[in-house]
Amino acid sequence: MCHVIVTCRSMLWTLLSIVAAFGELIAFMSADWLVGFPRIPEAKIGHHGSPEPYQPTLGIYGRCIKVTGHRRGILCGPYAVHFGEIASGFWQATSIFLAAGILLLCAVAFISVFTMCFQSIMKKSIFNVCGLLQGIAGLFLILGLMLYPAGWGSDKVLAYCGPDASPYKVGLCSLGWAFYTAIGGTVLTFICAVFSAQAEIATSSDKVQEEIEEGKSLICLL
């Protein structure tokens, strides 16, 4: 018989796990990791007045630039069609570590939805297993974020950030929201890994066992 167990701590852990996974995924796909120095696009023929300056952005594999004559003005998309075209070997390693971490986080986020009905897998607590996976994912994310600044000396970054850019020195660029989102998602991942133990305690408490013995199939506790 399936017992649906809902507690505040287990639901909070599920919500935070989903937020961490989506936050890291959105950051990884974004082109707003680096914000380039202001530049003025080339003016169109017959256009009067000086065009407004803009700041291009550069991601791990994508970029946003202003294209003269483009109907939206800003064109975003991948600059690297193949994995080998990513700006540097450090960013390629960053992509691998971040992708591995995000894959684990998405798997945990998917599993967490079903923890209301299933609290164990192969006689192991599903919360403990998910917490372990989140801890491993967090380590992958940290490795990726530590390697990312090492790629700031690549030719691609120099074109966006000026000749002063070098490994761990951003030059004329500034860090975009995607980088900070990735850091926040990594911190949240470790919080979820620790908090999974509290979710396990909440769903296996004496009060839960008492309600199961009473024959209840839906158990809601604070």
Side-chain angles (χ1 to χ4, degrees):
M1 181 180 178
C2 175
H3 297 282
V4 179
I5 303 174
V6 181
T7 70
C8 287
R9 280 178 283 180
S10 64
M11 289 301 296
L12 181 59
W13 173 78
T14 298
L15 178 61
L16 293 179
S17 297
I18 294 173
V19 170
F22 274 95
E24 288 291 344
L25 181 60
I26 291 172
F28 180 69
M29 296 175 63
S30 172
D32 290 303
W33 284 72
L34 286 176
V35 180
F37 61 88
R39 61 194 69 190
I40 299 176
E42 296 180 1
K44 294 188 292 184
I45 297 176
H47 180 78
H48 299 287
S50 59
E52 295 181 359
Y54 79 102
Q55 291 180 278
T57 59
L58 180 66
I60 296 174
Y61 64 89
R63 53 88 182 102
C64 287
I65 57 175
K66 192 165 187 176
V67 179
T68 304
H70 192 268
R71 58 187 179 87
R72 291 188 301 173
I74 302 296
L75 179 64
C76 296
Y79 70 82
V81 179
H82 306 291
F83 182 76
E85 295 179 355
I86 293 177
S88 73
F90 290 109
W91 283 16
Q92 291 174 2
T94 294
S95 299
I96 292 173
F97 284 122
L98 291 184
I102 291 169
L103 183 62
L104 288 176
L105 289 180
C106 289
V108 171
F110 178 77
I111 295 171
S112 68
V113 177
F114 299 96
T115 54
M116 292 183 293
C117 221
F118 304 99
Q119 287 77 45
S120 62
I121 179 171
M122 297 178 66
K123 296 184 179 180
K124 299 290 184 180
S125 168
I126 197 168
F127 295 103
N128 291 340
V129 172
C130 287
L132 176 62
L133 292 177
Q134 287 174 324
I136 295 172
L139 293 177
F140 282 140
L141 295 175
I142 285 179
L143 287 172
L145 291 174
M146 289 177 63
L147 288 172
Y148 171 70
W152 289 349
S154 66
D155 293 337
K156 192 73 174 178
V157 176
L158 291 175
Y160 280 73
C161 303
D164 293 333
S166 61
Y168 296 95
K169 184 180 178 183
V170 78
L172 298 176
C173 284
S174 59
L175 295 172
W177 64 265
F179 180 76
Y180 294 111
T181 300
I183 292 177
T186 302
V187 173
L188 185 57
T189 295
F190 282 107
I191 292 175
C192 289
V194 174
F195 197 68
S196 64
Q198 291 298 317
E200 158 66 15
I201 293 171
T203 55
S204 59
S205 65
D206 293 338
K207 194 168 183 179
V208 170
Q209 297 302 318
E210 289 175 4
E211 299 210 12
I212 290 176
E213 292 172 0
E214 291 174 3
K216 294 182 180 180
S217 57
L218 176 60
I219 302 169
C220 297
L221 297 174
L222 295 177

